[in-house]
Amino acid sequence: MKIANQVRITKAMRLSSIFRTIISPIALSTILVCASSVSASQPRAAALLVQQELPEQQIKAEIRDRVQEEVDIAFGRTATLLNGLVIALTLLPTAAGVAVWFLYNKLSQQTKSARQEIESLHYDTISQLKLLISDAEGILGEIQHQSHQEDVETDLLLPDAQIQEFAPVNYGNYQQLLTAADYAKQGDACFFENRYEDAIAAYNLALQIQPDLADTWNNRGVVLTRMQRYPEAIASYEQATTIRPQYPDAWNNRGVVLLELQKYPEAIGCYEQAIQAKPDYADAWNNRGVAFSKMQEYEQAVISYNKALQIKNDYTDAWNNRGVALSKLQKYEAAIDSYDNAAKIRPDFYRIWYNKARCYALQGKIELAIENLKRALNLNPNLCKELAKTEADLEKIREHDTFKQLIN
């Protein structure tokens, strides 16, 4: 601003030198006074303009700062909201996963608890049933012991003869057929109720009406077998196989009766007829093995038991009978394996543990023999005590103090 004033003053001085020669000193002085006043007024005006411009710039700067501040505030709020939304979206799946895991864990615990309760109830029920069965077997053993002397080879088991549900033949008078079927079903019902005489009477009525009912002849033979009327039972089975030559159950049941009568070769012939009619007949294979064992042909017996077990691997009687035959062949370790397999299927069957005790006694393993004999006695004390008193296979442990305490 000082340089501009000096420029203006210089210009005025040049003008004054020009005007000196033209105008009077008074006029010149007047002009100089006016010029100086004008010169003096211009810096003030410029100062005023500058002073006016400065507040406007400050206001603009303040406005700009205020706007920037508001924009920053708004942007900060928006960024905060967006960050919160991003965090929420990030945490939501995690929270959902944690909730699902918690619910799943709780459900698993409840399921596990329920399963444990069910298993406990199942175990209690099975235990009670085992006790009832054991008591029933004990009572049955006493009855059997009182009625007849137990045979040394009672470990060779035969499945019960099988009763067949009546299947009527579609010929003859329909009314008579219906009546024969009714009598046959009545006989079946009496058999399952152990009313054997009534069952025979009902079967006889059915066969009087329709004599060609093979199933009824077979079922009649089963009842007669239970009544130990063996010749009549054989006659009924013969009638059944005459009507239906390929009748595996009738052949097998006839073999059971012949085995009881100690007609072992004839029994084997019947079992082979049953197997020919039904090659996968596990009971017939097992019974064939029993017949060979009775004839002391233990190798043939083992072959039959093996065949039965190939057909039905969970066949307890076949495993037990196989163990007896192997023990007779002095293959004790293989016999023990058979008894172990039988025990896995039916651990509450006293005969398995009794036979296992016999096998260990034959090997001279006293402690193991005593241990297995204890288990057999726990399951059927009365019968096992009677058997053990005269069991030849237990001779090596008979003088042992623990054996005496168990038996006496």
Side-chain angles (χ1 to χ4, degrees), residues 286-369:
N286 176 69
N287 293 344
R288 182 176 182 270
V290 172
F292 276 117
S293 289
K294 292 290 186 179
M295 297 170 65
Q296 299 184 2
E297 296 184 21
Y298 299 114
E299 291 182 354
Q300 285 294 324
V302 170
I303 292 172
S304 290
Y305 297 138
N306 288 342
K307 188 64 178 179
L309 291 167
Q310 287 176 6
I311 298 167
K312 185 180 179 182
N313 188 252
D314 59 346
Y315 198 162
T316 308
D317 293 348
W319 281 116
N320 179 68
N321 294 343
R322 182 175 181 269
V324 173
L326 290 168
S327 180
K328 294 294 183 180
L329 293 170
Q330 298 183 0
K331 297 180 179 180
Y332 299 122
E333 294 302 324
I336 295 297
D337 289 340
S338 286
Y339 293 137
D340 288 340
N341 286 327
K344 290 177 184 177
I345 301 167
R346 189 181 170 190
D348 59 340
F349 185 27
Y350 76 94
R351 174 61 68 178
I352 298 169
W353 304 106
Y354 181 78
N355 289 339
K356 197 173 177 182
R358 291 168 56 191
C359 191
Y360 279 126
L362 289 170
Q363 297 179 81
K365 297 180 179 180
I366 308 302
E367 294 182 359
L368 290 173

Coordinates of all heavy atoms in Angstrom, one line a residue, residues 286-369:
N286 N -28.6 -129.6 13.0 CA -28.2 -129.7 14.4 C -28.6 -131.1 15.0 O -27.9 -131.8 15.6 CB -28.9 -128.6 15.2 CG -28.6 -128.7 16.7 OD1 -27.5 -128.5 17.2 ND2 -29.6 -129.1 17.5
N287 N -29.9 -131.5 14.7 CA -30.4 -132.8 15.2 C -29.6 -134.0 14.6 O -29.3 -135.0 15.2 CB -31.8 -133.0 14.9 CG -32.7 -132.0 15.7 OD1 -32.2 -131.4 16.6 ND2 -33.9 -131.8 15.2
R288 N -29.2 -133.8 13.3 CA -28.3 -134.9 12.7 C -27.0 -135.0 13.5 O -26.5 -136.1 13.7 CB -28.1 -134.5 11.2 CG -27.3 -135.5 10.5 CD -27.2 -135.0 9.0 NE -26.4 -136.0 8.2 CZ -25.1 -135.9 7.9 NH1 -24.4 -135.0 8.5 NH2 -24.5 -136.8 7.2
G289 N -26.5 -133.8 13.9 CA -25.2 -133.8 14.7 C -25.5 -134.5 16.0 O -24.6 -135.3 16.5
V290 N -26.6 -134.3 16.6 CA -26.9 -134.9 17.9 C -27.0 -136.5 17.7 O -26.4 -137.2 18.6 CB -28.3 -134.4 18.5 CG1 -28.7 -135.2 19.7 CG2 -28.1 -132.9 18.8
A291 N -27.6 -136.9 16.7 CA -27.7 -138.4 16.4 C -26.3 -139.0 16.3 O -26.0 -140.0 16.8 CB -28.6 -138.6 15.2
F292 N -25.4 -138.3 15.5 CA -24.1 -138.8 15.3 C -23.3 -138.8 16.6 O -22.5 -139.7 16.9 CB -23.3 -138.0 14.3 CG -23.6 -138.4 12.8 CD1 -24.2 -137.6 11.9 CD2 -23.2 -139.7 12.4 CE1 -24.4 -138.0 10.6 CE2 -23.4 -140.1 11.1 CZ -24.1 -139.3 10.2
S293 N -23.5 -137.7 17.5 CA -22.9 -137.7 18.8 C -23.3 -138.9 19.7 O -22.5 -139.5 20.4 CB -23.2 -136.4 19.5 OG -22.5 -135.3 18.9
K294 N -24.6 -139.2 19.6 CA -25.1 -140.3 20.4 C -24.5 -141.6 19.9 O -24.3 -142.6 20.7 CB -26.6 -140.5 20.2 CG -27.4 -139.3 20.8 CD -27.4 -139.4 22.3 CE -28.3 -138.4 23.0 NZ -28.3 -138.4 24.4
M295 N -24.1 -141.7 18.6 CA -23.4 -142.9 18.1 C -21.9 -142.8 18.3 O -21.1 -143.6 17.8 CB -23.7 -143.0 16.6 CG -25.2 -143.3 16.3 SD -25.6 -143.1 14.5 CE -24.7 -144.5 13.9
Q296 N -21.4 -141.7 19.0 CA -20.0 -141.4 19.2 C -19.2 -141.2 17.9 O -18.0 -141.4 17.9 CB -19.4 -142.6 20.0 CG -20.1 -142.7 21.4 CD -19.4 -143.8 22.3 OE1 -18.4 -144.4 21.9 NE2 -20.0 -144.0 23.5
E297 N -19.9 -140.8 16.9 CA -19.2 -140.4 15.7 C -19.1 -138.8 15.7 O -19.8 -138.1 15.0 CB -20.0 -140.8 14.4 CG -20.1 -142.4 14.4 CD -20.8 -142.8 13.1 OE1 -20.8 -142.0 12.1 OE2 -21.3 -144.0 13.1
Y298 N -18.1 -138.4 16.5 CA -18.1 -136.9 16.8 C -17.6 -136.1 15.7 O -18.0 -134.9 15.6 CB -17.2 -136.7 18.1 CG -17.7 -137.5 19.3 CD1 -17.0 -138.5 19.8 CD2 -18.9 -137.1 19.9 CE1 -17.5 -139.2 21.0 CE2 -19.4 -137.8 21.0 CZ -18.7 -138.8 21.5 OH -19.2 -139.5 22.6
E299 N -16.8 -136.6 14.8 CA -16.3 -135.8 13.7 C -17.5 -135.5 12.7 O -17.6 -134.4 12.2 CB -15.2 -136.6 12.9 CG -13.9 -136.6 13.7 CD -12.8 -137.3 13.0 OE1 -13.1 -137.8 11.9 OE2 -11.7 -137.4 13.5
Q300 N -18.3 -136.5 12.5 CA -19.5 -136.3 11.7 C -20.5 -135.3 12.4 O -21.1 -134.5 11.7 CB -20.2 -137.6 11.4 CG -19.6 -138.5 10.4 CD -19.6 -137.9 9.0 OE1 -20.5 -137.2 8.6 NE2 -18.5 -138.1 8.2
A301 N -20.5 -135.5 13.7 CA -21.4 -134.5 14.4 C -20.9 -133.1 14.2 O -21.7 -132.2 14.0 CB -21.4 -134.9 15.9
V302 N -19.6 -132.9 14.3 CA -19.1 -131.5 14.2 C -19.4 -131.0 12.8 O -19.7 -129.8 12.6 CB -17.5 -131.5 14.5 CG1 -16.9 -130.2 14.1 CG2 -17.3 -131.8 15.9
I303 N -19.3 -131.8 11.8 CA -19.6 -131.4 10.4 C -21.1 -130.9 10.3 O -21.4 -129.9 9.7 CB -19.4 -132.5 9.4 CG1 -17.9 -132.8 9.3 CG2 -19.9 -132.2 8.0 CD1 -17.5 -134.1 8.5
S304 N -22.0 -131.6 11.0 CA -23.4 -131.2 11.0 C -23.6 -129.9 11.7 O -24.3 -129.0 11.3 CB -24.2 -132.3 11.6 OG -24.3 -133.5 10.7
Y305 N -22.9 -129.8 12.9 CA -23.1 -128.6 13.7 C -22.5 -127.4 12.9 O -23.1 -126.3 12.9 CB -22.4 -128.7 15.0 CG -22.9 -129.7 15.9 CD1 -22.1 -130.6 16.6 CD2 -24.3 -129.9 16.0 CE1 -22.6 -131.6 17.5 CE2 -24.8 -130.9 16.9 CZ -23.9 -131.7 17.6 OH -24.5 -132.7 18.4
N306 N -21.4 -127.6 12.2 CA -20.8 -126.5 11.4 C -21.8 -126.0 10.3 O -21.9 -124.8 10.0 CB -19.5 -126.9 10.8 CG -18.4 -127.1 11.8 OD1 -18.5 -126.5 12.9 ND2 -17.3 -127.8 11.4
K307 N -22.5 -127.0 9.7 CA -23.4 -126.7 8.7 C -24.6 -125.9 9.3 O -25.1 -124.9 8.7 CB -23.9 -127.9 8.0 CG -24.8 -127.7 6.8 CD -24.0 -127.0 5.7 CE -24.9 -126.8 4.4 NZ -24.2 -126.1 3.3
A308 N -25.1 -126.3 10.4 CA -26.2 -125.6 11.1 C -25.8 -124.2 11.4 O -26.6 -123.2 11.2 CB -26.6 -126.3 12.3
L309 N -24.5 -124.0 11.8 CA -24.1 -122.6 12.2 C -23.8 -121.8 11.0 O -23.8 -120.5 11.0 CB -22.8 -122.7 13.0 CG -23.0 -123.3 14.4 CD1 -21.7 -123.7 15.1 CD2 -23.8 -122.3 15.3
Q310 N -23.4 -122.4 9.8 CA -23.3 -121.6 8.6 C -24.7 -121.0 8.2 O -24.7 -119.9 7.7 CB -22.8 -122.5 7.5 CG -21.3 -122.8 7.6 CD -20.8 -123.8 6.5 OE1 -21.6 -124.1 5.6 NE2 -19.6 -124.3 6.6
I311 N -25.7 -121.8 8.5 CA -27.1 -121.3 8.1 C -27.6 -120.3 9.2 O -28.2 -119.3 8.8 CB -28.0 -122.5 8.0 CG1 -27.6 -123.4 6.9 CG2 -29.5 -122.0 7.8 CD1 -28.3 -124.8 6.9
K312 N -27.3 -120.6 10.4 CA -27.8 -119.7 11.5 C -26.7 -119.6 12.6 O -26.5 -120.4 13.4 CB -29.0 -120.4 12.1 CG -29.8 -119.6 13.2 CD -31.0 -120.4 13.7 CE -31.7 -119.7 14.8 NZ -32.8 -120.5 15.4
N313 N -26.0 -118.5 12.4 CA -24.8 -118.3 13.2 C -25.1 -118.0 14.7 O -24.2 -118.2 15.6 CB -24.0 -117.1 12.7 CG -22.6 -116.9 13.4 OD1 -22.4 -116.0 14.1 ND2 -21.7 -117.9 13.1
D314 N -26.3 -117.6 15.0 CA -26.7 -117.3 16.4 C -27.5 -118.5 17.0 O -28.3 -118.3 17.9 CB -27.5 -116.0 16.5 CG -28.8 -116.1 15.7 OD1 -28.9 -117.0 14.9 OD2 -29.6 -115.2 15.9
Y315 N -27.1 -119.7 16.6 CA -27.8 -120.9 17.1 C -27.1 -121.4 18.3 O -26.1 -122.1 18.3 CB -27.8 -121.9 15.9 CG -28.8 -123.0 16.0 CD1 -29.1 -123.8 14.9 CD2 -29.4 -123.4 17.2 CE1 -30.0 -124.8 14.9 CE2 -30.3 -124.4 17.3 CZ -30.6 -125.1 16.1 OH -31.5 -126.2 16.2
T316 N -27.7 -121.1 19.5 CA -27.1 -121.4 20.8 C -26.9 -122.9 20.9 O -25.8 -123.4 21.3 CB -27.9 -120.9 21.9 OG1 -28.2 -119.5 21.7 CG2 -27.2 -121.0 23.2
D317 N -27.9 -123.7 20.7 CA -27.8 -125.1 20.9 C -26.7 -125.8 20.0 O -26.0 -126.6 20.4 CB -29.2 -125.8 20.5 CG -30.2 -125.4 21.5 OD1 -29.9 -124.8 22.6 OD2 -31.4 -125.7 21.3
A318 N -26.6 -125.3 18.7 CA -25.6 -125.8 17.9 C -24.2 -125.5 18.4 O -23.3 -126.3 18.3 CB -25.8 -125.3 16.4
W319 N -24.0 -124.3 18.9 CA -22.7 -123.9 19.4 C -22.3 -124.8 20.7 O -21.2 -125.3 20.8 CB -22.6 -122.4 19.8 CG -22.4 -121.5 18.7 CD1 -23.3 -120.5 18.3 CD2 -21.2 -121.3 17.9 NE1 -22.7 -119.8 17.3 CE2 -21.5 -120.3 17.0 CE3 -20.0 -122.0 17.9 CZ2 -20.5 -119.9 16.1 CZ3 -19.1 -121.6 16.9 CH2 -19.3 -120.6 16.0
N320 N -23.3 -125.0 21.5 CA -23.1 -125.8 22.7 C -22.9 -127.2 22.4 O -21.9 -127.9 22.9 CB -24.4 -125.7 23.6 CG -24.2 -126.5 24.9 OD1 -23.5 -126.2 25.8 ND2 -25.0 -127.6 25.0
N321 N -23.7 -127.8 21.5 CA -23.5 -129.2 21.0 C -22.1 -129.4 20.3 O -21.5 -130.4 20.5 CB -24.6 -129.6 20.1 CG -26.0 -129.6 20.9 OD1 -26.0 -129.6 22.1 ND2 -27.0 -129.6 20.1
R322 N -21.7 -128.4 19.6 CA -20.4 -128.5 18.9 C -19.3 -128.5 19.9 O -18.3 -129.3 19.8 CB -20.3 -127.3 18.0 CG -19.0 -127.2 17.2 CD -19.0 -126.0 16.2 NE -17.8 -126.0 15.4 CZ -16.7 -125.3 15.8 NH1 -16.6 -124.6 16.9 NH2 -15.6 -125.3 15.0
G323 N -19.4 -127.7 21.0 CA -18.4 -127.7 22.1 C -18.3 -129.1 22.7 O -17.2 -129.6 23.0
V324 N -19.5 -129.8 22.9 CA -19.5 -131.1 23.5 C -18.7 -132.1 22.6 O -17.9 -132.9 23.1 CB -20.9 -131.6 23.8 CG1 -20.9 -133.0 24.3 CG2 -21.6 -130.7 24.8
A325 N -19.0 -132.1 21.3 CA -18.4 -133.0 20.4 C -16.9 -132.7 20.3 O -16.1 -133.7 20.3 CB -19.0 -132.9 19.0
L326 N -16.5 -131.5 20.3 CA -15.1 -131.2 20.2 C -14.3 -131.6 21.5 O -13.2 -132.0 21.5 CB -14.9 -129.7 20.0 CG -15.2 -129.2 18.6 CD1 -15.3 -127.6 18.5 CD2 -14.2 -129.7 17.5
S327 N -15.0 -131.5 22.6 CA -14.5 -131.9 23.9 C -14.2 -133.4 23.9 O -13.2 -133.9 24.4 CB -15.4 -131.5 25.0 OG -14.8 -131.9 26.3
K328 N -15.2 -134.1 23.3 CA -15.0 -135.6 23.2 C -13.8 -136.0 22.3 O -13.2 -137.0 22.5 CB -16.3 -136.2 22.6 CG -17.5 -136.1 23.5 CD -17.3 -136.9 24.8 CE -18.5 -136.9 25.7 NZ -18.4 -137.7 26.9
L329 N -13.6 -135.1 21.3 CA -12.4 -135.3 20.4 C -11.1 -134.8 21.1 O -10.1 -134.7 20.4 CB -12.6 -134.6 19.1 CG -13.8 -135.2 18.2 CD1 -14.1 -134.3 17.0 CD2 -13.4 -136.6 17.8
Q330 N -11.2 -134.3 22.3 CA -10.1 -133.7 23.1 C -9.5 -132.4 22.4 O -8.4 -132.1 22.6 CB -9.0 -134.8 23.3 CG -9.4 -136.0 24.1 CD -8.3 -137.0 24.3 OE1 -7.2 -136.7 23.9 NE2 -8.6 -138.0 25.0
K331 N -10.4 -131.8 21.7 CA -10.0 -130.5 21.1 C -10.6 -129.4 22.0 O -11.6 -128.7 21.7 CB -10.5 -130.3 19.7 CG -9.9 -131.4 18.7 CD -10.5 -131.2 17.3 CE -9.9 -132.2 16.4 NZ -10.4 -132.1 15.0
Y332 N -9.9 -129.3 23.2 CA -10.5 -128.5 24.3 C -10.6 -127.0 24.0 O -11.6 -126.3 24.3 CB -9.7 -128.7 25.6 CG -9.8 -130.2 26.0 CD1 -8.6 -130.9 26.2 CD2 -11.0 -130.9 26.2 CE1 -8.6 -132.2 26.6 CE2 -11.0 -132.2 26.6 CZ -9.8 -132.9 26.8 OH -9.8 -134.2 27.2
E333 N -9.5 -126.4 23.4 CA -9.5 -125.0 23.1 C -10.7 -124.6 22.1 O -11.4 -123.6 22.3 CB -8.2 -124.6 22.6 CG -7.0 -124.7 23.6 CD -7.3 -123.9 24.8 OE1 -7.9 -122.8 24.7 OE2 -6.9 -124.3 25.9
A334 N -10.8 -125.5 21.1 CA -11.9 -125.2 20.1 C -13.3 -125.4 20.8 O -14.2 -124.7 20.5 CB -11.8 -126.2 19.0
A335 N -13.4 -126.3 21.7 CA -14.6 -126.5 22.5 C -14.9 -125.3 23.3 O -16.1 -124.8 23.4 CB -14.5 -127.8 23.4
I336 N -13.9 -124.7 24.0 CA -14.1 -123.5 24.8 C -14.6 -122.4 23.9 O -15.5 -121.6 24.3 CB -12.8 -123.2 25.5 CG1 -12.4 -124.2 26.6 CG2 -12.9 -121.8 26.2 CD1 -13.4 -124.4 27.7
D337 N -14.0 -122.2 22.8 CA -14.4 -121.2 21.8 C -15.9 -121.4 21.5 O -16.7 -120.4 21.4 CB -13.6 -121.2 20.6 CG -12.2 -120.8 20.8 OD1 -11.9 -120.1 21.8 OD2 -11.3 -121.1 20.0
S338 N -16.4 -122.6 21.3 CA -17.8 -122.8 21.0 C -18.7 -122.4 22.1 O -19.7 -121.8 22.0 CB -18.0 -124.3 20.6 OG -17.5 -124.6 19.3
Y339 N -18.2 -122.8 23.3 CA -19.0 -122.4 24.5 C -19.1 -120.9 24.7 O -20.1 -120.3 25.1 CB -18.4 -123.1 25.8 CG -18.6 -124.6 25.8 CD1 -17.5 -125.4 26.2 CD2 -19.7 -125.2 25.4 CE1 -17.6 -126.7 26.3 CE2 -19.8 -126.6 25.4 CZ -18.7 -127.4 25.8 OH -18.8 -128.7 25.9
D340 N -18.0 -120.2 24.4 CA -17.9 -118.8 24.5 C -18.9 -118.1 23.5 O -19.6 -117.2 23.9 CB -16.5 -118.3 24.3 CG -15.6 -118.6 25.4 OD1 -16.1 -118.8 26.6 OD2 -14.3 -118.6 25.2
N341 N -18.9 -118.7 22.3 CA -19.9 -118.1 21.3 C -21.3 -118.3 21.8 O -22.2 -117.5 21.6 CB -19.6 -118.8 20.0 CG -18.4 -118.2 19.3 OD1 -18.1 -117.1 19.4 ND2 -17.7 -119.1 18.6
A342 N -21.6 -119.5 22.4 CA -22.9 -119.8 22.9 C -23.3 -118.8 24.0 O -24.4 -118.3 24.1 CB -23.0 -121.2 23.3
A343 N -22.3 -118.6 24.9 CA -22.6 -117.7 26.0 C -22.8 -116.2 25.6 O -23.6 -115.5 26.3 CB -21.4 -117.7 27.0
K344 N -22.2 -115.8 24.5 CA -22.5 -114.5 24.0 C -23.9 -114.3 23.6 O -24.5 -113.2 23.7 CB -21.5 -114.2 22.8 CG -20.1 -114.0 23.2 CD -19.2 -113.8 21.9 CE -17.7 -113.7 22.3 NZ -16.9 -113.6 21.1
I345 N -24.5 -115.4 23.0 CA -25.9 -115.3 22.5 C -26.8 -115.5 23.7 O -27.9 -114.8 23.8 CB -26.1 -116.4 21.5 CG1 -25.1 -116.2 20.3 CG2 -27.5 -116.4 21.0 CD1 -25.0 -117.4 19.4
R346 N -26.5 -116.4 24.6 CA -27.5 -116.7 25.7 C -26.7 -116.9 27.0 O -26.5 -118.1 27.4 CB -28.3 -117.9 25.3 CG -29.5 -118.2 26.3 CD -30.2 -119.4 25.9 NE -31.2 -119.8 26.9 CZ -31.9 -121.0 26.9 NH1 -31.7 -121.8 25.9 NH2 -32.7 -121.3 27.9
P347 N -26.3 -115.9 27.6 CA -25.4 -116.0 28.8 C -26.2 -116.6 30.0 O -25.5 -117.0 31.0 CB -25.0 -114.6 29.1 CG -26.0 -113.7 28.5 CD -26.5 -114.5 27.3
D348 N -27.5 -116.6 30.0 CA -28.3 -117.1 31.1 C -28.6 -118.6 31.0 O -29.4 -119.2 31.8 CB -29.6 -116.3 31.3 CG -30.4 -116.4 30.0 OD1 -29.9 -116.8 29.0 OD2 -31.6 -116.2 30.1
F349 N -28.0 -119.4 30.1 CA -28.2 -120.8 29.9 C -27.2 -121.6 30.7 O -26.0 -121.6 30.4 CB -28.2 -121.1 28.4 CG -28.5 -122.6 28.1 CD1 -29.4 -123.3 28.9 CD2 -28.0 -123.2 27.0 CE1 -29.8 -124.6 28.6 CE2 -28.3 -124.5 26.7 CZ -29.2 -125.2 27.5
Y350 N -27.7 -122.2 31.8 CA -26.8 -122.9 32.7 C -25.9 -124.0 32.0 O -24.8 -124.2 32.4 CB -27.6 -123.5 33.9 CG -28.3 -124.7 33.5 CD1 -27.8 -126.0 33.7 CD2 -29.6 -124.7 32.9 CE1 -28.4 -127.2 33.4 CE2 -30.2 -125.8 32.5 CZ -29.7 -127.1 32.8 OH -30.3 -128.2 32.4
R351 N -26.5 -124.6 31.0 CA -25.8 -125.8 30.5 C -24.5 -125.4 29.8 O -23.5 -126.2 29.9 CB -26.7 -126.4 29.4 CG -26.1 -127.6 28.6 CD -25.7 -128.7 29.5 NE -26.8 -129.4 30.1 CZ -26.7 -130.5 30.9 NH1 -25.5 -131.0 31.1 NH2 -27.7 -131.1 31.4
I352 N -24.4 -124.2 29.3 CA -23.2 -123.7 28.6 C -22.0 -123.7 29.7 O -20.9 -124.2 29.5 CB -23.4 -122.4 28.0 CG1 -24.4 -122.4 26.9 CG2 -22.0 -121.8 27.4 CD1 -24.9 -121.1 26.4
W353 N -22.3 -123.1 30.8 CA -21.3 -122.9 31.9 C -20.9 -124.3 32.5 O -19.8 -124.5 32.8 CB -21.8 -121.9 32.9 CG -22.2 -120.6 32.3 CD1 -23.4 -120.1 32.1 CD2 -21.3 -119.6 31.8 NE1 -23.4 -118.9 31.5 CE2 -22.1 -118.5 31.3 CE3 -19.9 -119.5 31.7 CZ2 -21.6 -117.4 30.7 CZ3 -19.4 -118.4 31.1 CH2 -20.2 -117.3 30.6
Y354 N -21.9 -125.1 32.6 CA -21.7 -126.5 33.2 C -20.8 -127.2 32.2 O -19.8 -127.9 32.7 CB -23.0 -127.2 33.4 CG -22.9 -128.6 34.0 CD1 -22.6 -128.8 35.3 CD2 -22.9 -129.7 33.2 CE1 -22.5 -130.0 35.9 CE2 -22.8 -131.0 33.7 CZ -22.6 -131.1 35.0 OH -22.4 -132.4 35.6
N355 N -21.0 -127.2 31.0 CA -20.2 -127.9 30.0 C -18.8 -127.3 29.9 O -17.8 -128.0 29.7 CB -20.8 -127.9 28.6 CG -22.1 -128.8 28.5 OD1 -22.3 -129.7 29.4 ND2 -22.9 -128.5 27.6
K356 N -18.7 -126.0 30.0 CA -17.4 -125.4 30.0 C -16.6 -125.8 31.3 O -15.4 -126.0 31.2 CB -17.6 -123.8 30.0 CG -16.4 -123.0 29.6 CD -16.8 -121.6 29.5 CE -15.6 -120.7 29.1 NZ -15.9 -119.3 29.1
A357 N -17.3 -125.9 32.4 CA -16.6 -126.4 33.6 C -16.1 -127.8 33.4 O -15.0 -128.1 33.8 CB -17.6 -126.3 34.8
R358 N -16.9 -128.7 32.8 CA -16.4 -130.0 32.5 C -15.2 -130.0 31.6 O -14.2 -130.8 31.8 CB -17.5 -130.8 31.7 CG -18.7 -131.1 32.6 CD -19.9 -131.6 31.8 NE -19.5 -132.7 31.0 CZ -20.3 -133.2 30.0 NH1 -21.4 -132.6 29.7 NH2 -19.9 -134.3 29.3
C359 N -15.2 -129.1 30.6 CA -14.0 -129.0 29.7 C -12.7 -128.6 30.4 O -11.7 -129.2 30.2 CB -14.4 -128.1 28.5 SG -13.2 -128.1 27.1
Y360 N -12.9 -127.6 31.2 CA -11.7 -127.1 32.0 C -11.2 -128.2 33.0 O -10.0 -128.4 33.2 CB -12.0 -125.9 32.8 CG -12.0 -124.6 31.9 CD1 -13.0 -123.7 31.8 CD2 -10.8 -124.3 31.2 CE1 -12.9 -122.6 31.1 CE2 -10.7 -123.2 30.4 CZ -11.8 -122.3 30.4 OH -11.7 -121.2 29.6
A361 N -12.2 -129.0 33.6 CA -11.8 -130.0 34.5 C -11.0 -131.1 33.8 O -10.0 -131.6 34.3 CB -13.0 -130.6 35.2
L362 N -11.4 -131.4 32.6 CA -10.7 -132.5 31.8 C -9.3 -132.0 31.5 O -8.4 -132.8 31.3 CB -11.4 -132.8 30.5 CG -12.8 -133.5 30.7 CD1 -13.5 -133.6 29.4 CD2 -12.5 -134.9 31.2
Q363 N -9.0 -130.7 31.4 CA -7.7 -130.2 31.1 C -6.9 -130.0 32.4 O -5.7 -129.6 32.4 CB -7.8 -128.8 30.4 CG -8.4 -128.8 29.1 CD -8.5 -127.4 28.5 OE1 -7.6 -126.9 27.9 NE2 -9.7 -126.8 28.6
G364 N -7.5 -130.2 33.6 CA -6.9 -130.0 34.8 C -6.8 -128.6 35.3 O -6.0 -128.2 36.2
K365 N -7.6 -127.7 34.7 CA -7.6 -126.3 35.1 C -8.6 -126.1 36.1 O -9.8 -125.8 35.9 CB -7.9 -125.4 33.8 CG -6.8 -125.5 32.8 CD -7.1 -124.7 31.6 CE -6.0 -124.7 30.5 NZ -6.3 -123.9 29.3
I366 N -8.2 -126.3 37.4 CA -9.1 -126.4 38.5 C -9.9 -125.1 38.8 O -11.1 -125.1 38.9 CB -8.4 -126.9 39.8 CG1 -7.5 -128.1 39.5 CG2 -9.4 -127.1 40.9 CD1 -8.3 -129.3 39.0
E367 N -9.2 -124.0 38.8 CA -9.8 -122.7 39.2 C -10.8 -122.3 38.1 O -11.9 -121.9 38.5 CB -8.7 -121.7 39.3 CG -7.8 -121.9 40.5 CD -6.8 -120.8 40.6 OE1 -6.8 -119.8 39.8 OE2 -6.0 -120.8 41.6
L368 N -10.5 -122.5 36.8 CA -11.4 -122.2 35.8 C -12.6 -123.1 35.8 O -13.8 -122.6 35.6 CB -10.8 -122.2 34.4 CG -9.7 -121.1 34.2 CD1 -9.0 -121.4 32.8 CD2 -10.4 -119.8 34.1
A369 N -12.4 -124.3 36.1 CA -13.5 -125.3 36.2 C -14.5 -124.9 37.4 O -15.7 -124.9 37.2 CB -13.0 -126.7 36.4

